[in-house]
Amino acid sequence: MYNQNQAEIFTSGNEGVCSLASIFDEIPDIYKNREALSHRFVPEGLPHREGELKELASYLKHAIKNFTPPNILVLGHTGTGKTVTVKKVLGELSRVVGDKVDIAYLVASGTKFQILNEIAMELNPNVSFKGLGFKEAWNRFRRMLDKDKITIIVLDEIDKMLPSESDLLYFLSREERVCIISISNKINVLDMITDRRVLSSFNPIKMVFPKYNAEQLGDILEYRAKEAFYDGVLDNEVIPLCAAFAMDREGDARYALDLLMYAGDEAIRRMNSKVTVEHVKIARKKLEEDFIRNSIRNLSLTQKLLLFAVMKKEGESPRSIYTLCNEYLERYTGNTLTHRRLSSLLGDLELYGFVTYERRGRGRGKGTRWSLYLNDTLDRNLIISVLKEELAEERRV
Ligand SMILES: Nc1ncnc2c1ncn2[C@@H]1O[C@H](COP(=O)(O)OP(=O)(O)O)[C@@H](O)[C@H]1O
Ligand SMILES: [Mg+2]
């Protein structure tokens, strides 16, 4: 148990021992509400999304009169406010109609069974289809739908369930009194549905959310910062710089907000009571590192080994990299892969921006030679240290 005497040991006036009693007081208090910058926070207003809010509301208004709204597909780049806009309108709808409309929101990843189970649990937390087959689960799901009400199901990031689980979309979209709101970053997501039956029964109204420009991002940040920070905490250039950096990420508002929060945290860590441009620059670096860390974590073991081989043999030909990679593979898994397979995995690494190919002529009639390099915009030390951590972990497993 916590013992007050323990605290007193530190406050006994002993030179060189810090006083715990005031340790929190010394830390600058810059946040009024740090949560207001988080991903989960649904803000009161959404600057520059008035049109989208109204359009969505115009479709969903039918539910107030107990008619089924049309199915909707919300498209747009990451961080254009799709999820928050949909949540906002649905929040307002349920405020107006109370429990006369059933609403389920979920990210549509997993098998059709898992997704169906999650929808059911969203509608009624006591329901679980565990242990059932999909058919049986579907039949039970149909029975639990209350046909006196409209049911609205939001399938966020719907591309994750396509095309493999598109059956579920077919079944859901054929149900009466069910409205499906789907959301995706992939502009061509409908092309992922190959079955014409699914397309014709789903048949959504499309809404495309445009990217934010720097000025709009500035307004959004300003708005969220008002809630998050005390007055006067942010230097004048902080928000414009966050907005400018986010423009390099196609106007991603989530990234802009993350930058602002990391910058605020950095200021506190350095015991500064003002957030400055310096803090934003450090925040950008940290976010970059997090991003790289996550990207490497998401690679397969073979891709990690392949990337490691590229770094060991930079400037060499694909063939010599495949050979080294197979040596590693042999040690880690006891198996090797064909050059053809490795070449396709290497292609993925190029696509993700980890490696680049350079083409060198060998002189007339002697064909060309390819050399492989780590993408030089990346921080090599960071990549090596993350790869080493990851590979040690794989070994342990
Ligand atoms: N117009 C806006 N006003 C205030 N915050 C916004 C606005 N647009 C996006 N955001 C915030 O930016 C982040 C990303 O938005 P989100 O809806 O998750 O984007 P998407 O679903 O398009 O990827 C969220 O924290 C969201 O609250
Ligand atoms: Mg989203």
Side-chain angles (χ1 to χ4, degrees), residues 37-43 45-49 76-85 156 183 185 209 212 220 223-224 252-254 257:
L37 299 176
S38 90
H39 298 169
R40 287 178 306 276
F41 188 81
V42 178
L46 295 174
H48 302 293
R49 282 296 173 248
H77 199 274
T78 308
T80 48
K82 302 180 297 297
T83 300
V84 74
T85 302
D156 203 346
I183 306 177
N185 301 333
F209 282 38
Y212 295 121
I220 291 169
Y223 181 78
R224 301 283 292 258
D252 180 348
R254 178 175 309 127
L257 285 163

Side-chain angles (χ1 to χ4, degrees), residues 56 60 70-74 86 90 152-156 158 179-183 202:
L56 201 55
L60 295 182
N71 292 333
I72 299 161
L73 171 60
V74 178
V86 168
L90 288 176
I152 298 177
I153 300 172
V154 184
L155 300 173
D156 203 346
I158 193 173
C179 157
I180 301 167
I181 303 179
S182 52
I183 306 177
F202 175 43

